[in-house]
C-alpha cells in the first residue's frame, strides 16, 4: 500500500523530474565534449530519456505517468543547452552555469506544466484514426 502510494506521488514525480533534468544536461554535455555535431548532441540528450522509460518498464511502473513528457522535456532541454552553447561560441554572454540552469529549467518547466495541468503537451499516437 505504501509502495503504491509513493510510486504515483508528487514526491516521486519531483525526484524523477530533477533526475531527468540532470541527465539531460549530462547527456548533451557528454556528446558535445566528444566533438559531436550540435544536432547529434541535442538528440543524444533526448535519447537519454529512453533509460527512464526502460526503468519504468522493467520495474512495472505505469508508463503513462511520464513517457510522453520524458522525450519532449529532454528534447527541449537539450536543444536549449545546444542553442545557448552555440550562441556562447559566437560571442553572446552565456556562461556554462547559465546554460545548465536554462536547460534544466526548460526540462523542469515542461514536466511541471504537464503535472499541474493534468494534460500532456504531446498527445499519444495510439488510437488515432
Amino acid at each position: 500500500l505504501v509502495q503504491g502510494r509513493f510510486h504515483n506521488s508528487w514526491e516521486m514525480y519531483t525526484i524523477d523530474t530533477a533526475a531527468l533534468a540532470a541527465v539531460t544536461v549530462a547527456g548533451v554535455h557528454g556528446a558535445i565534449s566528444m566533438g559531436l555535431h550540435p544536432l547529434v548532441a541535442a538528440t543524444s540528450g533526448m535519447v537519454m530519456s529512453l533509460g527512464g522509460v526502460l526503468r519504468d518498464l522493467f520495474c512495472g511502473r505505469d508508463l503513462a505517468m511520464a513517457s510522453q513528457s520524458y522525450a519532449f522535456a529532454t528534447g527541449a532541454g537539450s536543444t536549449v543547452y545546444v542553442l545557448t552553447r552555440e550562441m556562447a561560441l559566437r560571442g553572446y554572454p552565456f556562461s556554462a552555469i547559465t546554460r545548465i540552469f536554462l536547460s534544466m529549467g526548460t526540462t523542469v518547466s515542461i514536466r511541471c506544466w504537464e503535472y499541474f495541468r493534468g494534460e500532456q503537451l504531446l498527445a499519444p499516437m495510439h488510437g488515432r484514426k
Side-chain angles (χ1 to χ4, degrees):
L1 183 64
V2 172
Q3 185 179 13
R5 207 174 298 149
F6 177 72
H7 281 298
N8 294 322
S9 68
W10 66 269
E11 293 96 349
M12 184 64 174
Y13 197 84
T14 303
I15 293 168
D16 205 27
T17 299
L20 187 66
V23 165
T24 298
V25 171
V28 72
H29 181 72
I32 287 172
S33 67
M34 290 174 48
L36 297 176
H37 189 274
L39 182 62
V40 175
T43 305
S44 71
M46 188 172 65
V47 169
M48 296 290 284
S49 68
L50 181 62
V53 173
L54 288 175
R55 178 209 56 218
D56 291 346
L57 190 67
F58 291 141
C59 292
R61 286 180 52 192
D62 183 19
L63 286 176
M65 177 181 167
S67 60
Q68 270 92 21
S69 67
Y70 265 25
F72 184 67
T74 56
S78 59
T79 301
V80 165
Y81 188 90
V82 168
L83 288 176
T84 53
R85 182 181 181 276
E86 289 297 312
M87 290 173 71
L89 291 176
R90 286 167 176 72
Y92 291 94
F94 284 107
S95 66
I97 196 73
T98 303
R99 293 191 307 261
I100 290 169
F101 278 118
L102 286 174
S103 175
M104 291 179 80
T106 302
T107 304
V108 169
S109 297
I110 290 172
R111 297 272 294 167
C112 287
W113 171 272
E114 290 186 341
Y115 183 79
F116 290 116
R117 295 278 304 209
E119 58 189 42
Q120 297 172 352
L121 290 173
L122 294 177
M125 297 301 287
H126 63 82
R128 294 189 89 187
K129 295 182 184 192

